[in-house]
Amino acid sequence: MMEVKQFINGQWINAIGNGTIPLINPATEEVIGNISFGNGDDCNTAIDAASHAFKTWGKTTPYFRAGILKKAAQFIRDNVEELATDMVNESGKPITEAKGEFIVAANLFEWYAEEGKRAYGKTIPTNRIDKRSFTQWQAMGVIGVITAWNFPAYNPARAWAAALAAGCTVVAKPSEFTPMAGLHLAKALEASGLPPGVLNVLTGDAALIGEAMLNHPQLKKISFTGSTKVGKILMDGASKTSTKLSLELGGNAPVIIYNDVDVQAVAKAASLARFRNNGQVCIAPQRFYVQENIYNEFAEAVSKQVAQLKVGNGFEEGVQLGPLITSRQRDGVNELLKKATDEKAHILTGGKMPAHLKKGYFIQPAVVANCSAASVLAHNEIFGPVLPLFSFNNMEEVIARANDTPYGLASYVFTNNITTAFTTAEQLEFGMVGINEWTPHGTELPFGGWKQSGQGHESGSEGLYEYLQLKLVSIGGI
Ligand code: ADP
């Protein structure tokens, strides 16, 4: 049984009130640890520590900060087996995905170590002979980072790496369902010489911690990854405190498949892409719009592939889908499936608890056909292993249906016609478009949502500037 403490001001400590909550393995439903459960007081202590640490950290060179971030990247790579094991236990995801995620976290640390050195300002020619003006970027100060459970290492790593490289200090709250990964990243940074207070990791009451972050005058910005619902709670609070926000919220990605593609190849790739991390991904391809004359062939091919996916404990050889994160999440997906069949949609494969599994929050991956434009599967973020199929006739119609959502994160287009590809991509109201690919993201690429999917960007150089503020310096009398 793991006893999980918070990391505040360089110390591993219990919550001030000594509260704990159980950590549950979603594949076995067993309690595997006790996590410290702090509140607003713990958060204020962490912000005070981060504020004190900023006085020194904010004055270090990006080269000094890069040294620590790169060492931490190496620490993660050297210990990836142990780190990934804990991630499988807390999140249920397959061990290969857990390892891959920590390697991406290491890559983010390394990439931002370098990018932090490139926060160039500019010299601006002015309209007066006696004046010289230039801009410079400065670290914002203390940053709150609240993250979701679906990528327990990647979500914190991309915000922490950018904020720390920029010279900010961080107070982080990973998800209560997956705190271990974030705490491992903290250990990597601690072992690499990060001074006390520069990074603090809280575990505890989300609403109280969020409120404390909003209300503390020294906390300058909250970077949030999670649901649109909680994003709106933070926007509400920030309207009173003027705390800046970066929000990476929900999505409901359309996948438009035109009739000139290799149907079998796209169906095979779709069966993997849709079910990565069990569909619990904000950019997960969700609404599959297939042109009507290839619809039946695609439906048959994708169902055949999906029926072969291996579901089980993430430690088992060859497992491609683990459990969903909680019983609540599983019940929510089952509820959507039930509503869809009530609407006369037809489940081609999956949608039940796999017969060989007796415990855990599992669902056999499902393909659902005959979904109407008004289907619950079109208008809700499923966040689970369900691939709904919709048929369409022409480009104009499918673009209107793809855009008919309050979300605007990722979207996907499959075609072999370059004009169709560009015309479609340009009309999609989404922050990211993958054309003939399923991974329109990367350490060096800006990740961000339009509409109700968020504001600001993570990763890429855009992600660094989320933690820097621009200052104009103007000198007269020259
Ligand atoms: P999900 O549905 O993906 O779990 P949530 O938005 O509920 O998304 O959770 C994302 C993160 O936000 C988690 O770390 C969670 O603890 C935190 N959170 C939940 N409620 C609040 C809140 N009221 N204020 C601040 N953070 C919150």
Side-chain angles (χ1 to χ4, degrees):
M1 185 80 97
M2 295 183 284
E3 297 299 324
V4 184
K5 294 186 191 296
Q6 307 187 96
F7 182 59
I8 297 177
N9 207 15
Q11 306 285 316
W12 294 91
I13 53 174
N14 290 325
I16 292 170
N18 282 318
T20 61
I21 50 162
L23 181 62
I24 293 170
N25 179 330
T28 62
E29 300 181 38
E30 282 163 6
V31 176
I32 53 172
N34 288 312
I35 327 166
S36 290
F37 198 69
N39 57 32
D41 294 339
D42 300 75
C43 187
N44 286 329
T45 307
I47 297 172
D48 291 342
S51 177
H52 182 71
F54 178 65
K55 293 192 175 97
T56 321
W57 182 253
K59 294 197 179 82
T60 58
T61 65
Y63 288 80
F64 175 81
R65 300 193 290 269
I68 295 173
L69 288 169
K70 283 191 198 174
K71 268 195 205 158
Q74 197 51 45
F75 181 99
I76 295 166
R77 292 179 184 127
D78 292 344
N79 293 282
V80 71
E81 294 287 336
E82 182 198 334
L83 273 54
T85 300
D86 277 350
M87 191 192 279
V88 176
N89 278 322
E90 67 178 357
S91 75
K93 66 176 67 183
I95 185 88
T96 46
E97 287 186 27
K99 279 188 209 165
E101 189 179 331
F102 271 112
I103 295 300
V104 172
N107 294 346
L108 281 159
F109 278 32
E110 190 174 278
W111 195 83
Y112 274 114
E114 289 302 324
E115 194 65 8
K117 299 171 185 171
R118 302 193 185 103
Y120 307 130
K122 63 182 174 185
T123 305
I124 303 160
T126 71
N127 63 351
R128 274 184 21 203
I129 196 79
D130 65 334
K131 182 165 132 166
R132 306 287 183 275
S133 301
F134 62 92
T135 59
Q136 63 186 37
W137 290 97
Q138 283 184 217
M140 277 182 178
V142 181
I143 308 293
V145 179
I146 301 176
T147 43
W149 45 264
N150 58 341
F151 290 101
Y154 169 74
N155 289 336
R158 62 183 181 175
W160 300 6
L164 294 175
C168 294
T169 56
V170 172
V171 174
K173 196 209 82 66
S175 165
E176 53 276 37
F177 303 123
T178 56
M180 297 304 299
L183 291 164
H184 277 309
L185 296 179
K187 280 195 191 121
L189 286 158
E190 183 191 27
S192 306
L194 194 78
V198 174
L199 169 74
N200 307 272
V201 186
L202 299 160
T203 49
D205 187 302
L208 294 179
I209 291 171
E211 207 177 288
M213 283 185 181
L214 285 168
N215 286 321
H216 199 301
Q218 287 308 321
L219 190 130
K220 305 299 180 201
K221 178 167 196 174
I222 297 176
S223 161
F224 173 78
T225 311
S227 59
T228 297
K229 182 175 136 230
V230 175
K232 287 182 179 174
I233 294 175
L234 293 175
M235 287 172 90
D236 250 2
S239 73
K240 295 171 194 87
T241 60
S242 294
T243 310
K244 292 191 165 54
L245 297 175
S246 272
L247 302 172
E248 204 274 87
L249 308 176
N252 184 355
V255 183
I256 301 176
I257 303 173
Y258 287 104
N259 60 13
D260 58 7
V261 299
D262 176 341
V263 176
Q264 298 294 326
V266 176
K268 189 168 181 191
S271 71
L272 298 175
R274 170 64 188 131
F275 297 100
R276 182 170 72 100
N277 204 19
N278 236 323
Q280 301 172 124
V281 182
C282 50
I283 58 161
Q286 176 174 310
R287 293 174 284 144
F288 279 72
Y289 294 103
V290 185
Q291 203 152 15
E292 58 197 15
N293 60 343
I294 58 163
Y295 178 89
N296 287 339
E297 185 189 349
F298 185 87
E300 194 185 320
V302 83
S303 304
K304 214 162 115 194
Q305 294 290 341
V306 171
Q308 289 166 25
L309 293 174
K310 188 167 170 187
V311 184
N313 190 302
F315 288 116
E316 218 180 287
E317 186 68 33
V319 158
Q320 291 158 294
L321 282 86
L324 281 89
I325 190 72
T326 55
S327 56
R328 188 163 149 244
Q329 189 73 17
R330 175 203 52 197
D331 295 346
V333 174
N334 282 333
E335 182 71 13
L336 283 177
L337 276 171
K338 187 180 171 307
K339 282 189 184 152
T341 46
D342 290 348
E343 290 168 357
K344 305 274 181 287
H346 178 49
I347 298 180
L348 298 179
T349 183
K352 300 232 153 50
M353 174 82 171
H356 66 289
L357 296 166
K358 302 293 166 237
K359 280 230 165 237
Y361 312 130
F362 294 97
I363 300 179
Q364 191 74 36
V367 177
V368 186
N370 294 351
C371 298
S372 68
S375 167
V376 286
L377 299 181
H379 294 284
N380 290 277
E381 184 182 28
I382 302 173
F383 234 63
V386 179
L387 188 159
L389 291 165
F390 307 84
S391 81
F392 74 92
N393 176 268
N394 61 61
M395 185 192 289
E396 193 188 345
E397 173 207 342
V398 78
I399 289 170
R401 287 171 69 183
N403 287 338
D404 181 20
T405 169
Y407 294 108
L409 197 54
S411 55
Y412 303 85
V413 183
F414 288 83
T415 175
N416 282 318
N417 181 314
I418 196 155
T419 306
T420 308
F422 271 94
T423 318
T424 306
E426 283 163 7
Q427 295 181 79
L428 287 171
E429 296 165 357
F430 294 81
M432 292 172 273
V433 186
I435 300 175
N436 296 337
E437 77 137 329
W438 302 97
T439 52
H441 57 89
T443 306
E444 66 289 353
L445 303 175
F447 184 115
W450 289 13
K451 292 155 81 175
Q452 294 193 23
S453 286
Q455 44 182 272
H457 286 92
E458 302 261 20
S459 69
S461 56
E462 289 81 355
L464 182 73
Y465 290 98
E466 293 290 338
Y467 305 106
L468 291 166
Q469 47 198 353
L470 191 66
K471 181 176 279 175
L472 166 74
V473 180
S474 199
I475 309 160
I478 291 175

